[in-house]
Amino acid sequence: MIRNFFGHLHTVNRHRFLVCRYCFMMGLYWQGLTHDLSKYSFVEFWPGVRYFQGNRSPIDAEKKEKGYSLGWLHHKGHNRHHWQYWMDQKNGNEVYFIDPPIRYVKEMVADRIAACKVYQKEKYHQSSALEFLHSGRETPLIPQKTREKLEEYLTIVAENDLKSALHIIRDMDRE
Ligand SMILES: [Zn+2]
């Protein structure tokens, strides 16, 4: 358990450090500094320790075992860089999604690159995040405009060195 505690803490810290660096390269300073801070709250941190894997998200493991994850529900409810944050229901049984503002789509780019790096370690390559987007079974659920933007940005990441890619993205679609 102690090993899981420090393992999870290290994963979160390392993830936040990388996302912060990438966000800064895109000019998103506040988002870089505050990314995923809710992961230190008890409701999110504890399941992260309990279901610690090291090479994949503990949330998936928790969902597999319990069928749901309270930590994830808390996380996506508090973090605008998740497209699930922008999902709701209206008129009774109608589920709807709206496209997040572009600065959060850019934060998703940083988040996805960092997640691939942390979990894939030396197997990471510059197309990792794009490949993950293409293979992800949840991808068709992402609202179309956001999905297309993500694909466009991650293609730039796949085709350029990371720093240049993030500078190109910084200068695109300025709000
Ligand atoms: Zn997050």
Side-chain angles (χ1 to χ4, degrees):
M1 208 37 98
I2 295 277
R3 247 187 47 212
N4 285 9
F5 178 89
F6 286 105
H8 182 58
L9 184 63
H10 177 74
T11 306
V12 173
N13 289 343
R14 171 140 178 82
H15 176 73
R16 286 199 358 96
F17 171 76
L18 291 177
V19 171
C20 187
R21 217 162 74 186
Y22 305 151
C23 277
F24 272 48
M25 290 179 192
M26 291 186 284
L28 302 169
Y29 304 108
W30 181 249
Q31 285 170 248
L33 290 169
T34 56
H35 179 89
D36 274 358
L37 276 181
S38 71
K39 282 193 182 166
Y40 299 112
S41 65
F42 183 79
V43 58
E44 290 187 36
F45 198 84
W46 172 245
V49 174
R50 168 85 178 69
Y51 294 94
F52 179 73
Q53 318 257 301
N55 56 357
R56 55 187 283 250
S57 163
I59 288 162
D60 294 337
E62 185 183 13
K63 281 190 190 170
K64 212 167 178 182
E65 192 181 299
K66 297 204 311 203
Y68 63 91
S69 160
L70 288 179
W72 167 247
L73 290 171
H74 183 271
H75 187 77
K76 67 107 182 162
H78 286 78
N79 293 274
R80 295 178 173 86
H81 64 269
H82 289 287
W83 56 271
Q84 294 93 333
Y85 177 98
W86 305 87
M87 180 173 94
D88 191 22
Q89 147 270 342
K90 65 181 172 190
N91 304 331
N93 62 359
E94 188 185 325
V95 175
Y96 69 98
F97 303 74
I98 60 169
D99 288 288
I102 204 74
R103 63 182 179 278
Y104 297 116
V105 182
K106 292 180 178 179
E107 190 176 343
M108 286 174 198
V109 169
D111 193 18
R112 283 164 180 260
I113 299 169
C116 286
K117 274 204 175 169
V118 168
Y119 289 133
Q120 297 183 341
K121 299 190 176 80
E122 62 288 333
K123 291 201 192 93
Y124 174 86
H125 53 96
Q126 60 191 50
S127 312
S128 288
L130 183 64
E131 283 169 15
F132 185 80
L133 181 74
H134 286 152
S135 65
R137 279 167 63 204
E138 85 287 1
T139 300
L141 293 176
I142 305 175
Q144 189 187 356
K145 226 179 87 192
T146 300
R147 194 174 65 228
E148 286 171 3
K149 264 295 150 207
L150 261 181
E151 187 171 28
E152 186 184 348
Y153 290 158
L154 292 176
T155 303
I156 295 169
V157 170
E159 291 172 353
N160 296 273
D161 70 273
L162 190 51
K163 197 172 167 193
S164 328
L166 295 175
H167 285 163
I168 296 169
I169 296 167
R170 174 192 64 200
D171 297 330
M172 290 168 70
D173 310 301
R174 303 204 77 145
E175 288 169 302

